[in-house]
Amino acid sequence: MQAPSVGGVMLPRGNGETIRLSRGASLTDFAEKINANPASLVAVMMNLGEMVTATQSVSDETLQLLADEMNYTVQVVSPEEEDRELLESFDLEFGEDEGDEGDLVVRPPVVTVMGHVDHGKTRLLDAIRKTNVIAGEAGGITQHIGAYQVTTEVNEEDRKITFIDTPGHEAFTAMRARGAKSTDIAILVVAANDGVMPQTVEALNHAKAADVPIVVAVNKIDVEGADPTKVRGQLTEYGLVAEEYGGDTMFVDISAKQGLHIDSLLEAVILTADASLDLRANPTQDAQGISIESRLDRGRGAVATVLVQRGTLRVGDTMVVGDAYGRVRAMLDDNGNNVAEAGPSTPVQVLGLTNVPGAGDNFIVVDEDRTARQIAEKRAARERNAAFAKRTRRVSLEDLDKVLKAGEVQQLNLIIKGDASGSVEALESSLLQLDVGEEVDIRVLHRGVGAVTESDIDLAMGSDAIVIGFNVRAAGRAAQMAEREGVDVRYYSVIYQAIEEIEAALKGMLKPEYEEVELGTAEIREVFRSSKLGNIAGVLIRSGEVRRNTKARLIRDGKVIAENLNIEGLRRFKDDVTEIREGFEGGINLGNFNDIKVDDVIATYEMREKPRV
Ligand code: GDP
């Protein structure tokens, strides 16, 4: 066989050597490995019938095709493997305790509460927390940070347990899907009046797949018709046999509502941990762990709750969490108190990160700021590449059905932005579970916390993705850009609604009725307090025009703070007016709504009937 030649130039043909490329690599990356000119590889691909540019990320198949043609063996390296290598290149390793047996000390179990909807997961998490409010403790006000720790007495010894307090297996699965092992023990909540339900089975399957021991909380025993024995019988079919029947699963009958037997449940968790797990960690090394939940806070910047898995995290440490990094400026525990350090199995809220990490991202403390930054930047670049590698054609939800029928897309690309990493992960995993037949795949190219940005729109344009904003809006010029480029951006505040619409679109049943048209935006420059009218916003109209008696929403830091407001009063100087145009100043009164601040944006809109396509 002849070596491929382009324009008479011989290409460096291989002898079957293996080259390693990361997922989403470009022809330029390939060329670098074999000392070739990228342009010549573009030409080779063209001969093979594929048009790709030199710097564009390409799919695994394209890399494979090119390698075959050039007589190389290509090994596409997975993101996990790559990350391991990245850390290795800085002499770091995630996931193993340093030192030997003697360095390990017992750590508290980390528990996730799972079970069927309405069986009482949330109520139980509340009840557990309440039994543990230490009387008279300073602060005393509990804070939701995504996890909390309680103390319980077992065999006259105080033992701690850490609870992840986002109930449900969505969070659990989302984290596990990303390779993060966050949970040691699962509490499976089953309502005694309802018995085993579909999500009960789903939850227990998830726990089993993750090799996590289960403690069963038979809840709602206060309700008439409660039948805890029946629950035990039902679960036997799924391999969970109660201890009293000779099995090895602990069942505890509780009432989350009345706070009954919560102590016994906590004891069962400790006993199960002692019997089947060896939970120890080295508290003296640099801290490592995972992020559980994070968000962007107006005053404090990125706020991330992390769970320390080994080592001790201290204020002043430099950490890298996924593609975020920074020096720990302050740490808060689940009571909102400042803490200076956090050991294994302790959840803490960390301030000082550059941006918001995803749920399930691992964190690692490093010696130098520079190392943290480099690791974070490499990860961010890899994410971007991987996302771009999945490009296809541009679509909107309305015409999805048509392009599907025409065979133009096999895949619906989504970009999900939301107000908290938990909700983003939950939405993502629910969408990925949609069963939409064989013709089409749903793919999430990018997800993140915060407003929909221009770079999201960029990515959507490049890959024909639909952007979903969950409790967030487009920031800055992103909205205009989306409009101009025809990128479909959808806003939701209820997960179910998002899922229903996407599902309907995939089935070709989406009925567009009304669409929202933005009329204008006003930036609040000053807040005037009037005893008669409440708070009045002194504004500058940033775009379009603001009209009286139109609908409005209030946006703070790209997040929707309030919906369905009304522009009740509109003034220029002392006069009531019906509209104010871009570039002018004026006063807006939002009726009874008074929670306004300087720098908030009031966006007005109206609903227009949308022509059917
Ligand atoms: P989740 O969907 O599993 O998080 O369920 P929730 O914790 O939201 O509980 C669902 C409903 O059951 C709520 O109305 C709770 O007040 C109620 N509930 C939870 N635990 C108990 C219980 O032990 N007894 C009774 N009677 N009601 C309960």
Side-chain angles (χ1 to χ4, degrees):
M1 227 214 286
Q2 251 200 312
S5 81
V6 177
V9 182
M10 296 300 276
L11 282 169
R13 202 175 139 82
N15 288 313
E17 304 97 304
T18 300
I19 53 174
R20 284 161 61 86
L21 288 167
S22 50
R23 181 147 298 148
S26 66
L27 297 196
T28 305
D29 301 323
F30 196 119
E32 219 169 79
K33 296 273 166 158
I34 63 168
N35 260 328
N37 177 355
S40 60
L41 295 187
V42 173
V44 171
M45 285 312 298
M46 216 184 301
N47 285 339
L48 291 169
E50 265 198 50
M51 292 287 293
V52 278
T53 63
T55 53
Q56 173 188 343
S57 291
V58 296
S59 66
D60 290 7
E61 295 78 43
T62 304
L63 293 174
Q64 212 70 57
L65 185 69
L66 181 59
D68 286 349
E69 182 69 14
M70 302 291 295
N71 203 22
Y72 287 95
T73 307
V74 70
Q75 191 188 354
V76 179
V77 189
S78 73
E80 293 78 33
E81 174 65 17
E82 221 177 334
D83 206 58
R84 200 158 31 242
E85 288 171 12
L86 171 64
L87 292 178
E88 234 167 57
S89 71
F90 289 95
D91 223 3
L92 296 167
E93 187 185 2
F94 179 84
E96 292 294 325
D97 287 89
E98 290 167 13
D100 50 35
E101 285 285 301
D103 297 310
L104 304 179
V105 301
V106 174
R107 65 167 179 85
V110 179
V111 178
T112 301
V113 174
M114 303 204 271
H116 194 73
V117 63
D118 273 351
H119 279 195
K121 300 178 291 292
T122 313
R123 195 71 189 243
L124 174 60
L125 280 162
D126 284 350
I128 292 172
R129 194 156 187 172
K130 278 208 202 92
T131 57
N132 239 268
V133 175
I134 299 155
E137 195 191 10
I141 302 160
T142 54
Q143 288 219 181
H144 172 88
I145 65 168
Y148 63 79
Q149 204 169 53
V150 298
T151 306
T152 188
E153 201 185 295
V154 180
N155 299 332
E156 290 174 12
E157 211 186 313
D158 273 347
R159 302 285 298 269
K160 287 179 175 167
I161 305 176
T162 302
F163 283 88
I164 309 267
D165 79 351
T166 31
H169 50 269
E170 285 87 355
F172 178 83
T173 335
M175 285 198 210
R176 205 168 84 80
R178 308 183 64 187
K181 170 133 176 146
S182 58
T183 299
D184 300 310
I185 291 183
I187 291 183
L188 182 64
V189 178
V190 189
N193 55 340
D194 213 11
V196 170
M197 297 299 274
Q199 286 164 7
T200 314
V201 177
E202 223 173 281
L204 79 87
N205 284 336
H206 283 303
K208 277 189 183 163
D211 210 10
V212 167
I214 297 171
V215 171
V216 181
V218 182
N219 191 29
K220 305 200 187 184
I221 54 164
D222 59 301
V223 175
E224 216 183 288
D227 190 350
T229 314
K230 186 170 154 205
V231 173
R232 284 170 175 72
Q234 289 178 321
L235 282 174
T236 312
E237 291 170 36
Y238 300 94
L240 291 183
V241 183
E243 278 191 331
E244 55 266 41
Y245 298 160
D248 53 9
T249 303
M250 299 192 72
F251 281 64
V252 184
D253 296 341
I254 62 162
S255 164
K257 189 171 178 183
Q258 300 185 346
L260 280 180
H261 308 155
I262 304 296
D263 286 348
S264 315
L265 180 63
L266 297 181
E267 185 178 358
V269 168
I270 292 292
L271 295 178
T272 301
D274 289 349
S276 50
L277 301 167
D278 176 25
L279 300 176
R280 291 184 299 160
N282 178 355
T284 58
Q285 65 174 88
D286 282 341
Q288 296 189 348
I290 62 166
S291 91
I292 293 173
E293 183 175 298
S294 44
R295 65 196 163 79
L296 206 54
D297 184 279
R298 181 180 168 79
R300 301 183 296 171
V303 181
T305 297
V306 301
L307 176 68
V308 178
Q309 294 180 313
R310 61 195 68 82
T312 298
L313 183 63
R314 295 189 173 82
V315 170
D317 279 350
T318 294
M319 67 195 301
V320 51
V321 196
D323 63 1
Y325 69 97
R327 190 177 283 220
V328 179
R329 195 168 67 219
M331 295 198 294
L332 300 172
D333 67 11
D334 47 351
N335 290 314
N337 298 320
N338 270 294
V339 289
E341 52 177 52
S345 294
T346 312
V348 274
Q349 208 173 39
V350 169
L351 310 188
L353 296 177
T354 47
N355 57 312
V356 182
D361 280 345
N362 65 40
F363 83 78
I364 181 163
V365 164
V366 299
D367 288 342
E368 288 187 50
D369 292 357
R370 200 165 52 110
T371 311
R373 195 189 69 235
Q374 286 172 348
I375 294 172
E377 282 170 357
K378 289 220 163 95
R379 284 175 173 166
R382 198 175 55 216
E383 279 255 319
R384 272 198 305 275
N385 281 344
F388 273 111
K390 298 169 187 162
R391 287 162 177 249
T392 49
R393 314 174 58 116
R394 198 170 308 177
V395 295
S396 77
L397 274 195
E398 273 81 20
D399 62 19
L400 184 63
D401 181 44
K402 271 192 243 148
V403 284
L404 281 177
K405 284 207 180 98
E408 288 177 21
V409 291
Q410 293 84 37
Q411 170 177 307
L412 172 61
N413 290 332
L414 296 174
I415 293 170
I416 306 177
K417 294 301 283 284
D419 55 343
S421 54
S423 52
V424 172
E425 309 270 333
L427 182 55
E428 175 180 9
S429 62
S430 311
L431 285 171
L432 290 176
Q433 275 165 26
L434 276 182
D435 184 14
V436 287
E438 307 213 321
E439 305 83 41
V440 63
D441 269 347
I442 295 181
R443 205 157 205 185
V444 177
L445 298 187
H446 174 67
R447 71 185 96 63
V449 174
V452 175
T453 62
E454 289 171 59
S455 111
D456 295 326
I457 304 298
D458 247 336
L459 179 59
M461 281 162 56
S463 47
D464 273 330
I466 288 167
V467 182
I468 294 181
F470 186 72
N471 278 329
V472 294
R473 314 295 299 182
R477 272 192 288 277
Q480 283 117 292
M481 184 172 162
E483 172 94 47
R484 187 175 67 235
E485 302 292 343
V487 171
D488 194 1
V489 184
R490 306 248 153 185
Y491 300 108
Y492 301 97
S493 52
V494 183
I495 290 195
Y496 276 111
Q497 206 185 348
I499 296 166
E500 267 174 33
E501 264 198 43
I502 301 280
E503 190 170 19
L506 288 166
K507 291 181 174 161
M509 301 185 314
L510 193 66
K511 294 178 187 57
E513 289 163 345
Y514 286 91
E515 73 179 334
E516 193 184 299
V517 179
E518 185 169 289
L519 299 174
T521 57
E523 182 185 304
I524 302 187
R525 294 296 192 79
E526 227 171 312
V527 175
F528 305 100
R529 291 173 215 290
S530 147
S531 52
K532 246 191 343 206
L533 298 170
N535 287 349
I536 311 244
V539 300
L540 172 67
I541 310 301
R542 278 289 183 200
S543 66
E545 58 180 32
V546 170
R547 274 185 241 146
R548 193 173 342 178
N549 282 327
T550 48
K551 285 181 141 195
R553 61 171 59 92
L554 190 77
I555 299 162
R556 184 169 298 159
D557 274 341
K559 285 190 200 170
V560 178
I561 299 292
E563 287 274 7
N564 261 327
L565 304 174
N566 192 31
I567 306 286
E568 302 225 333
L570 194 62
R571 281 192 163 196
R572 260 186 72 65
F573 303 112
K574 291 260 169 272
D575 305 321
D576 282 320
V577 292
T578 49
E579 59 180 56
I580 307 180
R581 272 182 296 130
E582 184 174 335
F584 291 94
E585 294 185 324
I588 292 179
N589 171 15
L590 293 171
N592 291 331
F593 185 82
N594 283 314
D595 175 22
I596 54 174
K597 290 193 179 148
V598 170
D599 286 343
D600 287 356
V601 172
I602 298 172
T604 65
Y605 58 96
E606 67 182 15
M607 305 305 287
R608 284 191 200 147
E609 195 169 344
K610 198 169 180 179
R612 290 293 305 271
V613 270

